[in-house]
Amino acid sequence: MNRRNFLKQSAFTTAGTMLIPHFLKAYESQMLGMGPAPTGKILVVVQLSGGNDGLNTVIPYRNDIYYRERPTIAIRPDKVLQLNDEIGLHPAMGPLKALYDEGLLTVINNVGYPNPDRSHFRSMDIWQTASDSDKYVNTGWVGRYLDAACAGKAQQPYRTIEVDDTLSLAMKGSELNGLAVLDPKKLYNQTRSSLVTGLSKERVQNHDAHEPESVSYLYKTLAETVSSADYVYEKVSRTSQPISSVPAGTVLTTYPNNELGNRLKTVSKLIQAGVDTSVYYVSISGFDTHINQPGQQERLLGQYAESVGAFMADLKIAGRQNDVMMMTFSEFGRRVKQNASNGTDHGTANNVFLIGGGLPARRVLNEAPNLTKLTDGDLTYSVDFRQIYATLLHDYLGADDVAILGRKFDGVKIV
Amino acid sequence: MDKLTRQQQTRHLFARAAFGATPAELTEADQKSLRKVVRQLFRDSEAVTELRVVEPEQNETKQQLKGMVRDGQLDKDMLKERIRENAEKVRDLNLLWIDRMATGKGALREKMALFWHGHFACRAQGRNPLLMQQYANTLRQNALGKFGDLLMAVSKEPAMLQFLNNQQNRKNAPNENFAREVMELFTLGRGNYSEHDIKEAARAFTGWQFTPEGQFVFRERVHDEGEKTIFGKTGPFKGEDVIAMLLENRQTARFVTAKIYRFFVNENEDKKRVDELADQFYKSGYDITGLMEQIFSADWFYDPKNIGAHIKSPVELLAGLRHTLGVQFDQPQPQIFVQRTLGQLLFYPPNVAGWPGGKNWIDSSSLLFRMQLPNYVLKAADVLVRPKEDGDVNTQLLARKGNAKFRTTVNWADFEKAFINTPDAGLTNALAETLLPFPLRPDQKTVLESQLKPGQTRPERIHTLTAAIMSLPEYQLT
């Protein structure tokens, strides 16, 4: 579909969603809503911004080079939560170790891409757009998934949700952008001002077929935002009232009171409310540990592990554990050799975690980092991150990975 | 839309060639011929006043500061404080530039420099404010001169050499980043050079370095003096020779003109028109003023299809709003907050390709924030939004607290004066004509007027209606 047709069609459909009575909306969602993804699966992406030090997260606790290169920040072998006889988790990650023991965690080592870039913003761009490191792309991989999921159907930004106030590049498609929602009620209220509702109504009545494309685009975005905010808030407020719907004897999960905990709690609430969303995106920051890394990373990894532990426990109670997979990544790992300030500088390849999703976990998928075969003092990647994206898109979400990623990447054997 | 009225033409000119106009500026301009108004814009931009937040001789790099700690001149706390002060100066530079854009004096030059900031995208590295200050002033100084001078000057800017890793580009150990971006992003565009050209050009650029004081220096001992073959020519080329070859290539004129057209005229390129402009640009020896004057004087520039076709960038939105209403911010942080939230922070473009612009600016959250912005700026409404942290410790300072404290002074008196003779019934339309690219639809007018409260005085009515009009999706366009 070319852009003009697309705009015509979406102007029509969005004009519809804003004013049609509820019974028609129900009809519409029966016709169009087919569950989150064709496979009924949900993906939750957790981004650790700042470049998490992978070597102190998944620790090669039998490797002399690791201890030699990191005399003051290495994690002592007896503290490590062992995964196998080579590697183990940071001691602050108890809840993650528990998930591993349950068979829910898969660790993928040495994930990166060719010609790595050590700048935060650039490397994050590369991960979010899934581009080659020498190309600049203005759409994100989740956004392009949304484009594909909504092609020829109703334009529903809420099919991919970022739990935040602003939208990451990862969530921007070429035809449609995902929805940023930190708090469904707050977003709903923002779209309920008399000006916004007045304009939306006026717009539907006086839509000018000859108006400039720029005007159509803004009003299309506004209409989609209003109807998405309405949809999400309605779903959440409808389900969150009756406590009686919780089976007797269930212990409600307590989330740790930190940013990631709060955001994952929102994701869980949206999933349990039956919101038609197949990809959620959440990020936390602070991993840029150039100075005094140990305390800072311990605190952050602790928050991460506790929040993820609570999230998975919550989903288990809700019986949704097998429908939801979480992927955790960071834009790069850090140098093998520590610096002079008890920290680490920007590096390249890193580990990725996959959790849940109802798959037989492979636990530790591939070889531990090879510290004798470094590239310019950094780990050498063996898995391209886009291989993981391709697998998640194709095998897990049932989407056309080649169309979304621009070419074929060999899958990794996780699904 | 039918053919433009004269007032619409003036409005369009100021919207594109500057950061919009005040009602008084519009009225004054309408007394003169359009051609004269265009000339006046260029004349007003002839003088350049430097942006200055740091004196070159007082600037200390992080390395120099660390040296002072080693020599015992500074203790650790003093070092921390000095590094913080340096980072704060990049922020001050950002705000100073926004101020210049917003005052309207020399607005065409500032608008052009903003375009070049996206074209020659360079991001503050580390915390050396002097390098960014020099870079910004080089863009502003050369914004309306010859493109060749601008290209040479900005390519030799320490900030750019650092950003594109040319310090690491040495004889026998070439780094191709600089050579690649000079061709791909500054001059020819993708597909107009070979990988071999880049490899060889990188060798020619070896030795282009800078001193700790922030001065360009050609270091002969790291320069590769051997023969290179670039674009089919062979010789012991240096960096300057490569720049000359790029300027000789007509494709550079085509590439740059097309980008200017998309920024200043219409995102959808008119191929024939761009070809004509590029031809002229090339023949003029890349005279930027000549090219821009040709554009702003052309009948087709005022074609209805170009009106409101441009989505304002966050900086254009902020500077424009400030200019129209004479807004001053009491605290520095909110303007940084607006830039960060909406995705355009001066001196921090997302990558070497600059800000993608156009509809990339707009998504559900950025649109709602933009529609709420007038309430923050004009009514000090509570801010409920928080921008993302990018995880880089170097930009943490820019993410500080104080985001939500919008305290501003608005020059309502001057703005109100322009509508003193407007009858009450015509007030909404009169305001819209100065603030929006399109006339209001009757029902839109009704929605806007529903924001008024009974018993409001005329100034209060003007404030309410202005904030409401600036909240329209159409206000995002120009």
Side-chain angles (χ1 to χ4, degrees):
Chain A
M1 188 174 7
N2 68 29
R3 190 166 161 77
R4 189 167 296 275
N5 283 337
F6 161 77
L7 280 174
K8 266 188 203 155
Q9 183 172 329
S10 60
F12 170 74
T13 48
T14 50
T17 52
M18 294 189 53
L19 283 184
I20 48 172
H22 281 291
F23 72 88
L24 276 179
K25 248 187 203 170
Y27 169 76
E28 180 198 49
S29 62
Q30 269 171 17
M31 293 301 287
L32 299 166
M34 313 169 301
T39 55
K41 300 285 188 182
I42 295 167
L43 175 67
V44 181
V45 180
V46 176
Q47 171 183 304
L48 309 180
S49 307
N52 178 40
D53 180 19
L55 275 179
N56 271 18
T57 305
V58 178
I59 299 138
Y61 66 94
R62 292 245 168 101
N63 193 314
D64 295 341
I65 302 172
Y66 167 76
Y67 289 98
R68 193 181 70 216
E69 297 289 4
R70 299 185 160 203
T72 63
I73 65 162
I75 310 290
R76 284 179 16 217
D78 56 316
K79 300 271 185 199
V80 168
L81 309 175
Q82 299 182 6
L83 299 181
N84 59 27
D85 56 14
E86 260 188 304
I87 57 174
L89 293 174
H90 188 285
M93 302 179 87
L96 215 68
K97 173 67 162 57
L99 291 171
Y100 182 81
D101 293 339
E102 267 188 77
L104 292 174
L105 170 68
T106 300
V107 177
I108 310 177
N109 291 306
N110 309 315
V111 183
Y113 54 89
N115 304 313
D117 199 301
R118 288 170 188 78
S119 118
H120 292 286
F121 64 97
R122 182 60 196 141
S123 196
M124 192 57 96
D125 258 22
I126 291 165
W127 273 84
Q128 293 201 358
T129 60
S131 73
D132 292 339
S133 68
D134 65 344
K135 295 208 172 67
Y136 305 98
V137 174
N138 296 328
T139 57
W141 72 285
V142 180
R144 296 193 301 268
Y145 165 80
L146 178 66
D147 280 343
C150 292
K153 301 191 201 113
Q155 305 292 298
Q156 298 167 325
Y158 59 77
R159 281 172 166 271
T160 60
I161 286 181
E162 176 163 14
V163 181
D164 208 328
D165 273 331
T166 56
L167 201 68
S168 295
L169 179 56
M171 306 294 288
K172 299 186 181 184
S174 57
E175 302 294 359
L176 199 58
N177 296 317
L179 186 70
V181 196
L182 187 59
D183 172 355
K185 185 166 187 217
K186 192 177 87 179
L187 180 67
Y188 176 77
N189 286 340
Q190 266 185 293
T191 60
R192 289 286 117 181
S193 77
S194 61
L195 192 69
V196 172
T197 45
L199 285 173
S200 306
K201 271 190 201 134
E202 189 277 333
R203 164 81 185 169
V204 173
Q205 283 151 14
N206 299 306
H207 178 235
D208 172 8
H210 302 293
E211 72 191 1
E213 191 182 303
S214 54
V215 178
S216 313
Y217 179 70
L218 292 182
Y219 275 96
K220 170 178 109 62
T221 304
L222 183 63
E224 285 162 2
T225 307
V226 171
S227 62
S228 293
D230 188 34
Y231 166 81
V232 172
Y233 179 62
E234 198 188 304
K235 280 268 187 191
V236 172
S237 51
R238 201 190 297 158
T239 46
S240 59
Q241 287 146 4
I243 295 289
S244 59
S245 68
V246 179
T250 332
V251 182
L252 290 173
T253 312
T254 315
Y255 282 82
N257 188 19
N258 59 50
E259 196 165 278
L260 182 62
N262 291 329
R263 290 178 184 201
L264 287 179
K265 190 176 172 182
T266 303
V267 172
S268 167
K269 200 162 49 166
L270 296 176
I271 290 172
Q272 295 190 45
V275 172
D276 224 356
T277 301
S278 43
V279 182
Y280 292 92
Y281 206 94
V282 179
S283 53
I284 52 165
S285 131
F287 290 89
D288 194 18
T289 49
H290 291 280
I291 301 165
N292 296 333
Q293 173 173 306
Q296 196 182 341
Q297 203 197 17
E298 180 180 4
R299 179 176 57 81
L300 288 166
L301 291 180
Q303 287 178 1
Y304 166 79
E306 280 174 38
S307 304
V308 170
F311 179 71
M312 293 310 292
D314 195 8
L315 290 178
K316 192 175 184 179
I317 292 167
R320 302 297 299 272
Q321 192 181 16
N322 292 334
D323 304 337
V324 181
M325 177 169 336
M326 180 181 279
M327 179 190 81
T328 303
F329 79 97
S330 193
E331 73 267 36
F332 45 61
R334 305 186 79 88
R335 309 225 92 179
V336 176
K337 192 177 174 59
Q338 74 171 82
N339 65 20
S341 319
N342 263 343
T344 48
D345 298 325
H346 302 178
T348 54
N350 207 347
N351 35 57
V352 163
F353 295 147
L354 297 176
I355 302 167
L359 305 169
R362 302 289 164 142
R363 297 162 74 91
V364 179
L365 189 81
N366 55 350
E367 77 288 354
N370 184 344
L371 302 188
T372 60
K373 218 185 102 193
L374 301 180
T375 312
D376 302 331
D378 282 317
L379 301 178
T380 307
Y381 88 99
S382 62
V383 177
D384 190 311
F385 70 97
R386 292 164 296 185
Q387 293 180 264
I388 302 175
Y389 288 1
T391 308
L392 292 172
L393 288 166
H394 183 268
D395 298 351
Y396 184 69
L397 293 173
D400 182 350
D401 58 314
V402 178
I404 293 165
L405 299 175
R407 63 176 193 263
K408 179 75 195 157
F409 288 94
D410 290 336
V412 285
K413 293 270 174 287
I414 41 174
V415 176
Chain B
M1 209 191 306
D2 303 326
K3 200 173 172 324
L4 265 57
T5 63
R6 174 53 209 278
Q7 194 197 6
Q8 286 172 320
Q9 288 181 329
T10 314
R11 206 194 160 278
H12 182 59
L13 174 65
F14 276 94
R16 297 295 178 87
F19 295 91
T22 63
E25 283 169 333
L26 289 177
T27 312
E28 197 201 321
D30 283 343
Q31 315 299 315
K32 289 182 263 184
S33 75
L34 198 56
R35 195 159 285 266
K36 274 201 173 137
V37 181
V38 171
R39 290 249 172 77
Q40 188 66 42
L41 275 170
F42 281 92
R43 239 193 327 274
D44 289 346
S45 280
E46 273 166 15
V48 198
T49 324
E50 273 194 9
L51 299 176
R52 190 165 276 233
V53 295
V54 55
E55 300 299 324
E57 58 276 10
Q58 284 170 8
N59 187 63
E60 284 143 350
T61 63
K62 208 167 154 185
Q63 281 75 16
Q64 288 166 335
L65 289 171
K66 281 186 174 163
M68 290 163 78
V69 175
R70 274 194 300 276
D71 302 344
Q73 283 171 272
L74 281 180
D75 67 26
K76 277 239 155 136
D77 285 343
M78 285 157 77
L79 171 72
K80 242 183 168 171
E81 177 63 15
R82 297 286 272 276
I83 291 175
R84 194 185 61 79
E85 281 171 13
N86 270 353
E88 219 161 56
K89 282 181 186 144
V90 178
R91 182 195 72 181
D92 293 345
L93 186 68
N94 175 316
L95 296 174
L96 185 59
W97 196 10
I98 299 261
D99 275 349
R100 292 285 170 83
M101 295 177 193
T103 57
K105 214 173 140 30
L108 169 60
R109 177 177 294 278
E110 306 302 346
K111 185 69 167 279
M112 206 69 222
L114 177 62
F115 168 78
W116 294 123
H117 182 22
H119 182 78
F120 296 108
C122 181
R123 197 174 155 108
Q125 305 278 295
R127 294 165 172 191
N128 192 340
L130 181 65
L131 302 194
M132 276 341 254
Q133 177 174 294
Q134 284 178 188
Y135 158 81
N137 284 324
T138 292
L139 293 181
R140 296 173 62 255
Q141 192 80 45
N142 294 285
L144 289 162
K146 295 280 201 249
F147 175 76
D149 297 341
L150 173 62
L151 173 65
M152 186 70 84
V154 81
S155 301
K156 287 184 170 178
E157 271 305 323
M160 189 63 86
L161 293 167
Q162 183 181 40
F163 183 50
L164 297 179
N165 313 110
N166 213 58
Q167 292 286 81
Q168 289 92 50
N169 183 20
R170 293 155 165 267
K171 184 180 182 173
N172 300 328
N175 182 310
E176 293 167 12
N177 200 14
F178 185 82
R180 180 181 302 278
E181 304 313 0
V182 167
M183 290 189 202
E184 178 181 333
L185 300 165
F186 298 173
T187 57
L188 298 176
R190 233 169 220 279
N192 294 295
Y193 49 84
S194 68
E195 284 301 308
H196 182 77
D197 293 330
I198 287 183
K199 271 201 174 61
E200 296 282 281
R203 292 176 55 215
F205 283 116
T206 49
W208 276 33
Q209 300 203 342
F210 59 92
T211 66
E213 293 76 36
Q215 293 297 312
F216 174 83
V217 63
F218 177 66
R219 292 200 203 281
E220 231 162 337
R221 58 189 170 76
V222 295
H223 178 68
D224 180 343
E225 286 165 334
E227 298 225 315
K228 299 111 189 163
T229 302
I230 307 169
F231 305 126
K233 287 184 191 163
T234 304
F237 299 124
K238 292 188 169 154
E240 286 84 352
D241 302 317
V242 179
I243 300 275
M245 281 186 231
L246 291 168
L247 289 168
E248 214 175 286
N249 189 334
R250 282 174 176 270
Q251 171 58 24
T252 295
R254 182 68 178 67
F255 179 73
V256 174
T257 306
K259 207 159 164 186
I260 285 178
Y261 186 92
R262 290 197 301 271
F263 187 92
F264 286 93
V265 183
N266 199 313
E267 282 238 343
N268 298 316
E269 192 178 315
D270 182 326
K271 212 179 153 317
K272 195 168 147 276
R273 210 147 264 162
V274 171
D275 284 342
E276 285 164 12
L277 289 169
D279 256 5
Q280 191 56 38
F281 188 40
Y282 186 81
K283 276 186 204 139
S284 74
Y286 291 94
D287 180 21
I288 302 166
T289 289
L291 172 65
M292 299 316 290
E293 202 167 343
Q294 197 184 346
I295 290 174
F296 299 138
S297 307
D299 284 343
W300 49 254
F301 177 69
Y302 301 92
D303 195 296
K305 75 165 192 243
N306 296 328
I307 307 304
H310 176 86
I311 298 177
K312 292 176 190 170
S313 81
V315 167
E316 289 175 305
L317 176 69
L318 179 62
L321 195 158
R322 284 190 56 189
H323 178 65
T324 307
L325 296 177
V327 178
Q328 295 294 332
F329 281 77
D330 299 350
Q331 296 295 324
Q333 197 58 24
Q335 293 188 87
I336 299 291
F337 165 69
V338 170
Q339 294 175 58
R340 272 168 51 84
T341 305
L342 292 177
Q344 187 183 35
L345 182 61
L346 294 177
F347 305 120
Y348 295 90
N351 55 53
V352 289
W355 292 279
K359 70 190 184 71
N360 290 292
W361 295 125
I362 301 296
D363 58 59
S364 57
S365 42
S366 69
L367 180 59
L368 287 178
F369 185 87
R370 280 169 175 249
M371 291 173 69
Q372 196 57 27
L373 185 62
N375 287 331
Y376 299 151
V377 175
L378 304 178
K379 299 179 183 168
D382 286 343
V383 179
L384 302 169
V385 171
R386 206 158 51 105
K388 256 190 246 326
E389 288 174 34
D390 58 11
D392 182 349
V393 283
N394 288 309
T395 54
Q396 261 171 19
L397 183 95
L398 296 163
R400 285 191 324 181
K401 292 199 175 76
N403 285 336
K405 289 197 185 112
F406 276 78
R407 296 288 174 268
T408 56
T409 318
V410 183
N411 183 357
W412 283 115
D414 278 358
F415 187 75
E416 287 160 16
K417 216 182 293 167
F419 302 95
I420 210 147
N421 295 319
T422 311
D424 274 355
L427 188 59
T428 312
N429 278 333
L431 288 166
E433 276 163 24
T434 62
L435 298 174
L436 300 179
F438 313 112
L440 288 175
R441 291 188 294 268
D443 289 349
Q444 243 178 345
K445 178 168 170 276
T446 313
V447 173
L448 291 170
E449 288 173 350
S450 73
Q451 304 291 307
L452 293 168
K453 291 179 189 73
Q456 279 185 314
T457 63
R458 190 173 166 96
E460 283 166 355
R461 289 165 65 88
I462 290 181
H463 304 177
T464 302
L465 288 169
T466 301
I469 292 170
M470 286 180 159
S471 302
L472 291 180
E474 282 87 347
Y475 185 70
Q476 312 309 321
L477 303 173
T478 195

